[in-house]
Amino acid sequence: MVKWDCVLSYTFAVKFGVRQGSVLSPFLFAIYLDDIPVNRYLIPSSFVVMYADDILLIAPSVSKLQRLFHACEFELSCLDMCINTKKSCCIIRIGPRCDVKCASISTMKGHNLPWVSEIPYLGIYIIKGRQFRCSVTNAKRSFNRSTNAIFGKVWRTPSEEVTLQLVKSKCLPILLYGLECYSLLKADLHSLDFVVMRFLMKLFRTANKDIIDECRTFCNFPLPTEMLEIKSNKFCKKFECNKSMLRYFKC
C-alpha cells in the first residue's frame, strides 16, 4: 500500500521488481541488461559502454552508429524498455573531420537525435575536437558553487585552517572528479589552478602569490595540478595491476 499524509491506499500485490535500495537491485539489473553489449560483435570497431541505465555508443562512422543504435534499441524493446529521446543525443565526430556535418541518427519510430558539441556522461563532459577531450568548465562552475555555499554558511567565523579543510574535503573532489583518467591540456591545468587561486585570494584577502603559496604550504593545501599528478599515478598503478582489464583493452 501507499501512505500519503497519514492516509493509506488500497492494498495491491507487487509481483515483480525488488525493493528500492535493495542490495540485489544492481546485480539483477546488470543481468537484465546483459544482452545489450552483445550487439557490439555484430558491427566491427564499435563499442557499447554501459553503466547502470547510461549507455554510450561508439562507432567509427555514422552508418555504423545508426546500425548499432538500432541494434540496442531492438534489444531494449525485447526487454520492454525504450530509449528516452529527450535525454539522448549524438556528439560531433572526434578526429580530423570533427567539424564535418553529419547525417541525423534516427530511432525506429522516426525521431531524430540532435547533434551536440558536448555531452555529459557519468559526471564528465565530453566535447568534440580533433583529439579526445573533456571539458573542465562545468567542474569549475560546480567548485565555485560549493565554495560559495560554504562561505554563505560559515563566512569568516571559523579560522582559515578550518575553511581550507572543508574546501579540501568537500570542494576539491568535485573539481577533480574523473580528471585522472585522461591527459589535460596545459590551458586546462592552468585554469584549474587559477580557479583555486582565486578562492585563496578571497579567503586570505590578498592578491600576492608569494603570500598565498606560503599559506598553502603552512596549511598543507595543494593545487589541483599537484593533486592530479598523485591521482593519475594511483590510477595507472591500479590499472596495471588489473591484468584482465589490460587484456581487454589490448584485444
Side-chain angles (χ1 to χ4, degrees):
M1 64 180 63
V2 178
K3 182 178 180 181
W4 176 261
D5 197 17
C6 300
V7 179
L8 298 178
S9 70
Y10 61 90
T11 59
F12 55 93
V14 179
K15 299 181 180 180
F16 58 90
V18 293
R19 180 177 59 84
Q20 184 176 4
S22 171
V23 293
L24 284 176
S25 298
F27 181 74
L28 295 177
F29 189 77
I31 296 176
Y32 191 67
L33 297 180
D34 189 54
D35 292 334
I36 295 179
V38 176
N39 288 286
R40 69 179 182 273
Y41 298 110
L42 303 177
I43 305 171
S45 304
S46 60
F47 299 91
V48 178
V49 182
M50 295 186 62
Y51 186 87
D53 60 342
D54 290 322
I55 304 177
L56 179 65
L57 306 180
I58 305 174
S61 65
V62 178
S63 59
K64 290 185 177 181
L65 180 61
Q66 180 69 80
R67 290 171 53 196
L68 183 62
F69 181 79
H70 280 171
C72 289
E73 194 175 14
F74 174 77
E75 286 292 337
L76 287 173
S77 64
C78 294
L79 298 173
D80 196 21
M81 301 178 69
C82 62
I83 294 177
N84 190 342
T85 56
K86 295 181 179 180
K87 294 183 178 180
S88 303
C89 59
C90 303
I91 188 171
I92 297 296
R93 294 176 180 173
I94 297 175
R97 303 184 64 194
C98 61
D99 294 326
V100 177
K101 187 177 180 180
C102 300
S104 299
I105 301 296
S106 60
T107 64
M108 292 181 177
K109 295 182 179 180
H111 298 288
N112 292 332
L113 301 184
W115 286 91
V116 297
S117 58
E118 178 182 280
I119 57 170
Y121 186 71
L122 301 181
I124 64 173
Y125 287 78
I126 306 173
I127 59 177
K128 74 170 185 178
R130 299 181 66 87
Q131 297 179 346
F132 179 82
R133 288 187 57 198
C134 291
S135 173
V136 297
T137 303
N138 292 278
K140 293 188 295 182
R141 188 180 297 117
S142 299
F143 174 82
N144 287 328
R145 281 200 299 263
S146 58
T147 54
N148 290 335
I150 291 177
F151 267 130
K153 292 292 184 180
V154 302
W155 189 227
R156 300 191 181 276
T157 304
S159 63
E160 285 78 2
E161 292 88 345
V162 174
T163 304
L164 284 177
Q165 187 59 37
L166 285 172
V167 172
K168 185 178 179 180
S169 59
K170 300 295 184 181
C171 304
L172 281 182
I174 298 175
L175 180 65
L176 304 179
Y177 176 77
L179 299 183
E180 69 272 13
C181 302
Y182 64 97
S183 299
L184 287 171
L185 299 177
K186 290 184 177 179
D188 293 332
L189 293 173
H190 178 73
S191 65
L192 292 175
D193 285 346
F194 179 77
V195 71
V196 173
M197 290 295 291
R198 290 289 297 177
F199 158 73
L200 296 175
M201 291 177 183
K202 180 179 179 180
L203 177 64
F204 294 112
R205 287 178 283 191
T206 179
N208 192 312
K209 186 177 180 300
D210 295 333
I211 296 178
I212 293 177
D213 288 339
E214 291 182 4
C215 295
R216 285 196 310 105
T217 304
F218 177 77
C219 298
N220 190 23
F221 189 88
L223 287 175
T225 50
E226 301 170 357
M227 296 186 66
L228 270 179
E229 185 176 359
I230 298 174
K231 288 169 65 70
S232 299
N233 292 334
K234 289 183 178 180
F235 174 79
C236 292
K237 289 180 181 179
K238 184 178 180 180
F239 186 82
E240 291 173 357
C241 293
N242 194 334
K243 296 182 180 180
S244 62
M245 185 183 296
L246 286 175
R247 285 197 299 269
Y248 173 79
F249 278 95
K250 286 180 180 179
C251 293

